[in-house]
Amino acid sequence: MASAARSAPLPESGSALVEDPRFQEILQRSRSLTQKILDSIADTHSSCIHTETLKLDSSDIGRFSTMATNIGIPPAPVLTAVSENFTLETGLRVMHDGLQLHQGLLSSIAPRLAEKDKVVALMSDVRDLKIQIAKMQKMNQSHIAAPPTSGSVELRLPGEFEVQVAAHLTLVQLQAFSWDVARCLRSLDRSTGDDNQS
């Protein structure tokens, strides 16, 4: 996953919007929801993943790349800090698209899980964050509405092991993407001086 550790000055077109108090209010709600998602991923993982070899903090995630392809899990879009080369509009679109992807993945997996309560709660938080990002997109004067894309993702889950792997990979990918979202949102936050910290 790409990291957005430091923010560059915003291009003139995005700077005024980011300074808007309404934008900052939505941004604060978005940061809070992102942290809530990050905080709940470990509990969600332990509630629904019962295969011993599937650990959330495992460093051998690469060994499942072929299985991810076979199951049909697309990679998350790459999110970086807003800069001259990665505009505010692009950043908001990538955040929205990535959240929609993960909401669709969780929606496809949840019906196949024995324990789904925490997955359903996590899906609600992802949906709520996606709504906040859409509000920021709407405020962006240069935002041109993209055609709506389907939130559903068709996964090939023939057995319980594939369901477990799909849930595991989705949560690992959502965690990494959410860290990138958190860094990107922090870089836009004007309420504190931490936007230049990693």
Side-chain angles (χ1 to χ4, degrees):
M1 288 287 136
S3 291
R6 297 208 184 315
S7 65
L10 280 175
E12 198 64 35
S13 61
S15 183
L17 175 64
V18 170
E19 301 298 329
D20 186 312
R22 292 172 301 167
F23 185 91
Q24 286 296 310
E25 183 181 325
I26 297 167
L27 181 85
Q28 291 304 318
R29 284 195 300 265
S30 299
R31 287 189 72 185
S32 177
L33 281 165
T34 303
Q35 190 59 52
K36 185 177 179 187
I37 289 167
L38 284 165
D39 290 344
S40 67
I41 286 176
D43 282 344
T44 303
H45 190 278
S46 61
S47 77
C48 66
I49 308 296
H50 306 294
T51 304
E52 277 300 312
T53 56
L54 302 176
K55 301 289 183 203
L56 185 60
D57 57 358
S58 176
S59 60
D60 63 351
I61 195 69
R63 71 185 174 117
F64 292 108
S65 61
T66 301
M67 230 175 145
T69 301
N70 291 340
I71 291 171
I73 298 175
V78 177
L79 179 62
T80 62
V82 173
S83 66
E84 287 183 20
N85 297 324
F86 196 82
T87 65
L88 176 62
E89 179 179 339
T90 302
L92 293 172
R93 181 182 43 77
V94 169
M95 281 187 256
H96 188 274
D97 291 351
L99 292 166
Q100 185 161 310
L101 167 67
H102 289 95
Q103 184 181 4
L105 288 168
L106 292 169
S107 295
S108 295
I109 296 164
R112 301 281 305 270
L113 295 170
E115 296 291 327
K116 62 183 109 201
D117 292 347
K118 291 189 179 186
V119 173
V120 171
L122 180 60
M123 283 180 358
S124 294
D125 292 337
V126 170
R127 180 204 63 224
D128 291 348
L129 178 56
K130 187 177 76 169
I131 290 168
Q132 296 306 311
I133 299 299
K135 287 179 184 178
M136 286 189 276
Q137 284 180 301
K138 190 173 182 181
M139 288 183 72
N140 187 357
Q141 299 299 331
S142 65
H143 175 67
I144 299 167
T149 56
S150 170
S152 65
V153 179
E154 291 295 322
L155 298 177
R156 293 175 289 283
L157 304 171
E160 180 60 24
F161 182 69
E162 288 82 3
V163 171
Q164 291 280 293
V165 170
H168 169 71
L169 293 175
T170 298
L171 291 170
V172 168
Q173 183 172 281
L174 176 59
Q175 184 178 51
F177 185 74
S178 296
W179 278 116
D180 289 344
V181 169
R183 282 188 284 271
C184 190
L185 292 174
R186 184 178 62 218
S187 75
L188 299 172
D189 190 346
R190 299 300 179 251
S191 67
T192 64
D194 70 351
D195 60 328
N196 288 325
Q197 297 174 5
S198 55

